[in-house]
Amino acid sequence: MMDMAPPESLPMHEAHPLALVTGASSGIGTEIALELARRGFDLILSGRDAERLTAVADQVLATGGAAEIQIVDLEAPGGIEALVTQVGSRELEILVNNAGFGLSGPLERESPERLAAMVHLNVTALTLLTRAFLPAMVARGHGRILNVASTGAFQPCPGMAAYGATKAYVLSFSEAVAEELAGTGVFVTALCPGPTRTRFAERAAMVGSFLFRDAMAADAVARSGVQALLAGRRLRVTGWRNRLMAFAIRFSPRGMTARLAKAMMLKRN
Ligand SMILES: NC(=O)c1ccc[n+]([C@@H]2O[C@H](COP(=O)([O-])OP(=O)(O)OC[C@H]3O[C@@H](n4cnc5c(N)ncnc54)[C@H](OP(=O)(O)O)[C@@H]3O)[C@@H](O)[C@H]2O)c1
């Protein structure tokens, strides 16, 4: 954990529903937070980069909403528990599990520490934050959870084997919990973006990859995800090309989709 100092907080509006967004300091998370603010939610913005989070909080304020920043490293021991403690007994209407990163390259060359950190963030943090905030939502009879997966969830991802597997977990987990919650008033949505223009490609060492040639804008991805979340949809694949691909994969042999995904991964712009 980077900072256990008291949170920089601003007074929340009593009447506004509250949303927590992880990974709100950048990319899709920032845009989801701003979209929720425009729709009348107050925000708890979580991430590691205080400067960026403060800039996003200022943007939320400009929409008339309120925002609090929580600086938490969800990869670090105790990070998940710290975020749960910082939210405390406040009533969360929406939880957005967005924080995540990818690693690309052959598995045997990847550092075990970075692999473990990625699985911890993409899988463990998402699972335990869902587990932590779900009981209060079920007891109240309303609440919504948006889990950010990826189109990488639909097929094996050679060249990003472990990352793709974390996103397959997110999709499977989200759809299963959504079904467990049927009739409770609580909804879970899995958002599956394809390549999107954020800091993701740079962090995953994929700048110049063919996959990102026609990447979508993060605000369009966020708008689509928030619409699906508020409509209680279980799955949203962003962009017609990604939807077509996700549909076609259902009818394609696994081996073939793995070979195709490998060819796409290796292709450069
Ligand atoms: N961009 C794409 O092409 C794409 C496609 C499909 C799915 N996704 C998924 O979309 C989600 C958002 O990614 P993005 O594309 O918006 O990338 P991004 O711009 O790199 O944003 C990632 C966010 O995750 C946060 N984060 C990373 N490590 C963290 C940690 N240890 N503790 C707390 N927060 C952490 C970052 O916050 P700090 O920097 O402040 O730590 C940042 O706010 C991820 O789950 C990603 O897998 C992305």
Side-chain angles (χ1 to χ4, degrees):
M1 212 163 354
M2 294 180 71
D3 185 1
M4 285 298 292
E8 275 190 47
S9 59
L10 296 159
M12 295 287 175
H13 298 109
E14 290 237 325
H16 289 197
L18 185 59
L20 164 64
V21 180
T22 70
S25 58
S26 174
I28 296 169
T30 294
E31 297 300 334
I32 289 175
L34 295 176
E35 183 64 23
L36 289 172
R38 284 190 285 268
R39 289 170 181 261
F41 288 85
D42 281 350
L43 271 305
I44 301 178
L45 307 166
S46 174
R48 292 172 301 185
D49 187 326
E51 209 172 306
R52 280 176 168 269
L53 287 172
T54 305
V56 179
D58 287 343
Q59 286 178 269
V60 170
L61 289 181
T63 69
E68 166 182 307
I69 65 172
Q70 292 293 349
I71 301 155
V72 173
D73 184 350
L74 290 170
E75 287 166 38
I80 301 164
E81 296 76 8
L83 183 55
V84 173
T85 304
Q86 286 158 356
V87 174
S89 59
R90 285 178 288 175
E91 197 172 289
L92 273 194
E93 182 58 23
I94 292 182
L95 164 67
V96 181
N97 282 306
N98 163 76
F101 71 89
L103 294 169
S104 69
L107 184 72
E108 77 274 11
R109 289 199 213 140
E110 197 49 70
S111 112
E113 292 75 23
R114 291 310 294 147
L115 279 168
M118 182 181 70
V119 173
H120 190 75
L121 180 64
N122 295 8
V123 172
T124 308
L126 175 140
T127 305
L128 295 185
L129 290 174
T130 302
R131 171 64 185 83
F133 295 115
L134 200 51
M137 290 182 178
V138 172
R140 281 199 311 272
H142 57 92
R144 285 163 203 273
I145 299 174
L146 181 64
N147 288 332
V148 181
S150 163
T151 48
F154 296 111
Q155 75 284 308
C157 298
M160 290 191 98
Y163 173 72
T166 67
K167 295 303 182 177
Y169 174 94
V170 173
L171 177 59
S172 172
F173 172 75
S174 303
E175 291 185 308
V177 178
E179 181 57 34
E180 285 180 12
L181 293 168
T184 63
V186 182
F187 298 89
V188 180
T189 304
L191 174 63
C192 292
T196 305
R197 286 193 298 277
T198 66
R199 294 199 293 164
F200 177 91
E202 191 188 319
R203 289 175 160 184
M206 292 179 78
V207 175
S209 162
F210 170 79
L211 286 175
F212 283 85
R213 201 183 53 170
D214 294 318
M216 276 181 77
D219 59 347
V221 169
R223 227 172 10 254
S224 178
V226 169
Q227 274 164 5
L229 173 75
L230 297 179
R233 300 285 171 118
R234 291 190 182 180
L235 174 65
R236 172 57 52 90
V237 182
T238 57
W240 67 268
R241 254 179 278 178
N242 296 323
R243 275 196 289 280
L244 190 67
M245 191 196 71
F247 183 75
I249 283 169
R250 284 198 222 161
F251 306 101
S252 312
R254 283 298 264 183
M256 192 183 89
T257 58
R259 280 194 296 280
L260 209 67
K262 184 178 174 186
M264 301 272 277
M265 267 300 289
L266 292 176
K267 201 165 169 189
R268 308 303 291 176
N269 258 333

